[in-house]
Every structure is written in C-alpha cells, then in structure tokens.
Amino acid sequence: MKGYYGEFGGVFIPEILMSTIEELTKAFEEAKEDKEFWEEYERILGNYSCRPTPLTYAENLTKYFGGPKIYIKREDLNHTGSHKLNNVIGQGLLVKRMGKKRVIAETGAGQHGVATATMAAKFGFECTIYMGEVDVERQRPNVFWMEQLGAKVVPVKTGNRTLKDAINEALRDWATNMDTTHYVLGTACGPHPFPEMVMYFQSVIGKEAKSQIIEAEGRLPHRVYACVGGGSNAIGIFSGFLEDDEVELIGVEAGGYGLETKKHAARLASKDASIGVAQGYKTYFLQDDCGQMLETHSVAAGLDYIGVSPILAYLKEKGRVRFEVATDREVVEALRLTIKTEGLIPALESTHAFACAYREIKQMSKDKIIIINQSGRGDKDIFTVADALKDELWEKFIIKKAEVYNANKLHK
Ligand SMILES: *Cc1c(COP(=O)(O)O)cnc(C)c1O
C-alpha cells in the first residue's frame, strides 16, 4: 500500500487535512517525473549552498586507530550548517509549484527553523516557526536569526513545551490555513508523503557518497554510520547503499545517560519503545502503556524525539540496518578526540555516529573502509560542550543526573 513500509507509515490525519495532503502528494509525484525539477534543485544547492559536499579522508583519525580507512561525508559544509537545507530547498521548490505563499515549520534546537526561515527569505515566502517555549529559552541565538530572516517565531506553551508540542501546534495551523500554507516537516517522519519526500531530497547525500568513495577507493565501503533523530540524514546517506548487501548500515540513536536510566531517545536500539500511532504516522514510539509519550533525553537536542522514521523502523525489521546507541558521555569524548585529532567540529548529533564507529573500529581490520556522516557542524553546541568539559567530575555528573531523574520518578 502506498505510504506504507511494512506495517509502518500511513496517513493518520484529521479528515480536514486530507485534501492538502493529496495536493502535496500529487505535486511531489509530478516533480519526481520532471527532470528540470531535480536539475533546479541541484543547481540551487550547488550555487547557493555547496553541493556536492566533499567526502573527506580522515587520515589522522585513521592513523590514530590503526584500523579501517575512515571517510567523512561533510554535510556540515551546507549553508546553515547541516543537511537540513537539502530538505527545505526541495520542499520550497514544491511550494512554488503549488503556488502557495506561506510556509510553517516546527523546530526543536532551532536548526530546522533557521533552515526553513532561510529558504523562505530566499524564495520570498511568509514564514511562521513553532517552537516549544522551553526551546525558545534554550536556543536564543537561533530565535534571533529566524526573526532577522523575517520569520515569526511562536513559542508553544502546551504539553512539556518542546518539539512534539511544536509539531502538534504546526499541524493545527496547517489545518486552519491549508489553502495558502505548506507545512515544511523537518525529518523523514509524519504522514505520507513526508517520509518518502524527505528521503528523496536527502538521497542526494547517499548518491554523492557512493560515487565519491568509488572514485577515491575503487570499491564500496564496508560500513556506513549515521546518527538518527527523526532519521533524515541517516536515510539520506543509507539510500545510496540500500541495494548493496555487502555494505553494513548502522544507525546510531541517543543513549542519553545510559539505557538503564531510561533517560535516552533510543526507539529502535532499545526495548523501551513500542509500536503506536501519533503525529500522523505509525512507528516505534517511546510511550507508556496508555500511549502517552515519555520524556526523552539527549545531550543533542536534534536527537531528542519520541518517534522515528517509519522507513527506518521497516529497515530494522527487515534486518537491513543495525541500530546502536552512543551515550552523552561517549559522545563528548568522541567529540574531543575528533576536534583534536582531525580539526573537525561535528555537531553533537553527528558525533553519535562518530562515537559508535570509534567503539566498533577496534574489531575491524586495516583493509576495510568506513564512512561516517557528519550531518552538521558543532559551532551551535558551544555552551553545551563547554559545560560538559568543564565538569571534571563527569562521572558524578552523570550519576547525579540519573539520581535526580529516579528521585523525580519516585515522586510521581
Ligand atoms: C536535526 C539534526 C539531526 C537529526 O535529524 P535527522 O532527521 O535524524 O537527520 C542530526 N544532525 C544534525 C546536525 C541536525 O541538525
């Protein structure tokens, strides 16, 4: 059935949104058949951003570990600092095709909000960004730039005032203003056609990575590592290798304070999530027995989400993608090593992929090749990382947080 990946995916939306979802699906299907659409997409990303992004041979890290050759796909070099621009430029071109003039989006850490506001400024759309009130406080610089870019930022005061509440509010706006408005969903989640459409736009990462590694090494990599929030950068790079059974694909989720503390965002790599329907689609959610969403935690705001792409849920069940976690602590250590050894500053989100690769590299021989997807740059994380590194009693810090959490749970 269309829009389903095994039992996952679907279109679970209020009746009232059905016509706009159908309009979007039709526009997307037509655009896919139109060679000029993809050419314009590539032209804008090549000239306004910097595609193709390089595939960097990490010589120093390779020497440091003494194992497989490490290559890094440099999505951090995109305009606005992450892979998110690939998706918003693609959706922006669809908005033009549909003749709409207004875009809305949800944002957690603010990266998708800034990317969407940038696209709106470039294409001349009116723009509203929904952001949980807690995140508005935590991410002042991104709020400032969104406003400078001409977007209206609406702080969401419902629920626990973070990402999932912002998504609910954006869906509400869309249902009210669908004739004029397109909802720019930021990841490969939500109702069909979003997962397929976001994968389509992000597949540019995998296409490039495949031809670049063949050009550099004359063969395919043995493994590809990517971090998984909603799943868009992962499915983007994986899509280039899905048909190549010899390439092992590894998705890395947020292990937070450790799986045993339950303070994490591991939907596919832990046994804490279960299948459910929310926010328009069916997938694994971190939810309680009544279907209420649990609180997630990650040092990386972009991975801190209750659901996950239905496409990745399906690829897990099929056994095509292996899912692992990296804890906050492993991530901060991997970040420090990457900066000092290679002079690269990956985003905390991306560093989950690095941390998992570093852990597994020790079992791999020198004749192997791996690719790590650096989904974004880490400049935005300066305060979070500085806080973590300053804490010399890191061990205690982790235990303290876990204790606080457990104590809170007892009170409830
Ligand atoms: C938003 C974000 C992510 C998480 O989103 P996915 O859809 O899982 O890719 C990962 N890395 C960076 C740099 C991000 O900004």
Side-chain angles (χ1 to χ4, degrees):
M1 227 187 326
K2 215 153 173 43
Y4 276 88
Y5 309 90
E7 67 171 302
F8 305 108
V11 191
F12 296 88
I13 52 166
E15 189 78 35
I16 186 173
L17 276 173
M18 214 53 212
S19 62
T20 195
I21 282 276
E22 276 164 11
E23 179 192 17
L24 176 63
T25 306
K26 187 161 165 282
F28 172 54
E29 295 295 336
E30 285 171 7
K32 267 200 305 190
E33 298 303 314
D34 183 352
K35 240 183 77 207
E36 281 172 24
F37 179 83
W38 187 263
E39 280 167 8
E40 188 178 7
Y41 171 76
E42 286 200 324
R43 187 180 56 72
I44 293 175
L45 287 176
N47 154 288
Y48 182 62
S49 189
C50 74
R51 299 219 75 91
T53 59
L55 182 72
T56 302
Y57 172 46
E59 195 177 356
N60 299 345
L61 283 167
T62 300
K63 278 203 188 114
Y64 176 88
F65 285 105
K69 273 188 156 173
I70 304 171
Y71 281 86
I72 299 173
K73 182 62 174 160
R74 300 293 305 283
E75 291 305 299
D76 57 309
L77 295 177
N78 284 299
H79 179 40
T80 75
S82 80
H83 68 293
K84 295 224 163 61
L85 197 78
N86 305 332
N87 173 40
V88 300
I89 291 292
Q91 291 198 39
L93 289 173
L94 279 181
V95 175
K96 275 198 186 172
R97 262 179 112 93
M98 291 186 289
K100 292 188 173 180
K101 295 272 183 287
R102 177 173 178 259
V103 291
I104 57 173
E106 84 293 345
T107 196
Q111 298 302 108
H112 177 56
V114 169
T116 303
T118 301
M119 176 273 281
K122 169 141 181 81
F123 290 165
F125 302 141
E126 200 189 315
C127 178
T128 301
I129 305 292
Y130 289 93
M131 190 168 185
E133 200 176 37
V134 172
D135 294 326
V136 168
E137 279 311 312
R138 283 195 289 208
Q139 305 289 339
R140 279 278 160 209
N142 278 336
V143 175
F144 175 82
W145 286 124
M146 283 183 261
E147 285 172 349
Q148 294 307 306
L149 287 158
K152 184 173 157 211
V153 180
V154 179
V156 176
K157 301 174 202 280
T158 52
N160 51 6
R161 299 172 292 143
T162 55
L163 180 61
K164 88 172 158 47
D165 311 295
I167 295 179
N168 290 337
E169 210 52 43
L171 283 168
R172 225 164 278 153
D173 178 321
W174 202 24
T176 317
N177 301 301
M178 59 193 183
D179 290 342
T180 57
T181 300
H182 172 70
Y183 178 14
V184 186
L185 219 149
T187 188
C189 291
H192 179 71
F194 283 107
E196 185 191 334
M197 191 168 75
V198 176
M199 172 167 80
Y200 179 73
F201 292 130
Q202 295 294 0
S203 70
V204 69
I205 308 173
K207 276 189 197 126
E208 288 175 9
K210 185 171 183 171
S211 70
Q212 287 166 323
I213 195 71
I214 288 177
E215 165 123 24
E217 292 285 339
R219 56 182 176 150
L220 291 170
H222 296 84
R223 288 183 183 170
V224 178
Y225 290 89
C227 68
V228 180
S232 70
N233 86 89
I235 197 65
I237 192 161
F238 292 168
S239 66
F241 303 95
L242 277 179
E243 310 295 315
D244 305 306
D245 289 338
E246 68 271 37
V247 182
E248 197 185 355
L249 306 173
I250 300 108
V252 189
E253 295 183 307
Y257 295 129
L259 292 186
E260 67 289 353
T261 67
K262 305 281 179 202
K263 285 297 251 183
H264 61 74
R267 294 110 335 151
L268 297 175
S270 81
K271 299 222 178 311
D272 295 337
S274 52
I275 297 172
V277 173
Q279 300 188 329
Y281 69 114
K282 184 175 180 185
T283 193
Y284 279 93
F285 287 99
L286 287 163
Q287 56 187 338
D288 67 16
D289 294 341
C290 306
Q292 291 303 308
M293 295 305 156
L294 299 174
E295 258 183 56
T296 52
H297 164 79
S298 172
V299 68
L303 303 189
D304 205 346
Y305 177 54
I306 44 149
V308 67
S309 175
I311 304 175
L312 289 179
Y314 173 63
L315 291 171
K316 181 205 153 106
E317 299 234 315
K318 268 195 18 181
R320 183 62 190 97
V321 179
R322 171 160 67 85
F323 288 88
E324 302 289 341
V325 293
T327 62
D328 290 359
R329 180 186 182 169
E330 288 175 301
V331 164
V332 172
E333 275 171 10
L335 178 62
R336 187 151 41 175
L337 179 70
T338 309
I339 294 172
K340 284 231 169 92
T341 311
E342 203 62 62
L344 292 175
I345 310 180
L348 279 169
E349 288 80 5
S350 324
T351 312
H352 284 68
F354 286 73
C356 181
Y358 295 169
R359 192 168 67 214
E360 295 188 347
I361 247 170
K362 292 155 196 154
Q363 274 87 47
M364 291 182 80
S365 56
K366 262 184 171 357
D367 60 331
K368 300 278 196 288
I369 299 166
I370 68 167
I371 296 179
I372 304 172
N373 196 28
Q374 182 170 344
S375 53
R377 62 170 188 239
D379 313 43
K380 68 182 177 58
D381 301 318
I382 181 165
F383 298 115
T384 315
V385 175
D387 261 1
L389 294 182
K390 181 172 72 191
D391 206 326
E392 287 171 2
L393 303 171
W394 182 242
E395 197 83 52
K396 273 200 178 147
F397 175 75
I398 302 270
I399 292 166
K400 201 167 66 196
K401 292 268 165 132
E403 276 170 0
V404 169
Y405 169 67
N406 286 329
N408 281 343
K409 225 171 47 174
L410 286 179
H411 282 297
K412 273 184 191 160

